[in-house]
Amino acid sequence: CGKPETLLETNRYLLDHGRDNSSDASKRKDVVVVPPVYIAPTATVSQSVIGPHVSIGAGCNVHRSVLQDTIIDTGSHLSNTILQGSLIGQDARVQGREQFLNVGDSSEIGFA
């Protein structure tokens, strides 16, 4: 897609046009879902607010976080964070508070 903004725009379009699974995702305990979102069935999400326009990949673990207009790639772990308009790569780890973040694959970020 080229630029991060274009990738996020494409994600919004896909979620708005049928790729979301908000109804299934909203059945998760301790999770507030603001449609449209896609949460992979193998992702673990707890004590979080997800959406709108969020995609969370397979094997991700999201705990005590607020995500909006964000893509989380497979196997990533997020905790105690607030992200908007962000891209998190595969197997990345993000802990702490931030507003906008692009993290590449296999990276680790912590905010005190």
Side-chain angles (χ1 to χ4, degrees):
C1 291
K3 300 187 292 186
E5 298 82 21
T6 306
L7 183 56
L8 290 168
E9 181 180 332
T10 301
N11 186 58
R12 287 190 297 269
Y13 178 86
L14 291 171
L15 290 171
D16 285 338
H17 292 88
R19 191 178 183 289
D20 79 305
N21 66 353
S22 300
S23 60
D24 291 336
S26 64
K27 296 175 185 172
R28 293 172 181 252
K29 184 178 178 185
D30 296 329
V31 177
V32 174
V33 172
V34 182
V37 303
Y38 175 81
I39 301 175
T42 59
T44 302
V45 182
S46 61
Q47 299 178 0
S48 297
V49 178
I50 307 298
H53 300 111
V54 173
S55 291
I56 299 176
C60 288
N61 188 329
V62 178
H63 178 68
R64 297 188 66 189
S65 296
V66 177
L67 307 177
Q68 180 181 359
D69 195 28
T70 293
I71 301 171
I72 311 298
D73 206 347
T74 59
S76 293
H77 295 263
L78 283 72
S79 64
N80 302 312
T81 192
I82 300 171
L83 295 177
Q84 180 177 3
S86 299
L87 302 172
I88 307 301
Q90 186 174 2
D91 297 316
R93 296 184 184 280
V94 177
Q95 182 174 356
R97 301 201 179 271
E98 187 61 27
Q99 293 296 322
F100 171 80
L101 193 61
N102 291 326
V103 178
D105 295 348
S106 302
S107 299
E108 186 168 332
I109 304 290
F111 297 97

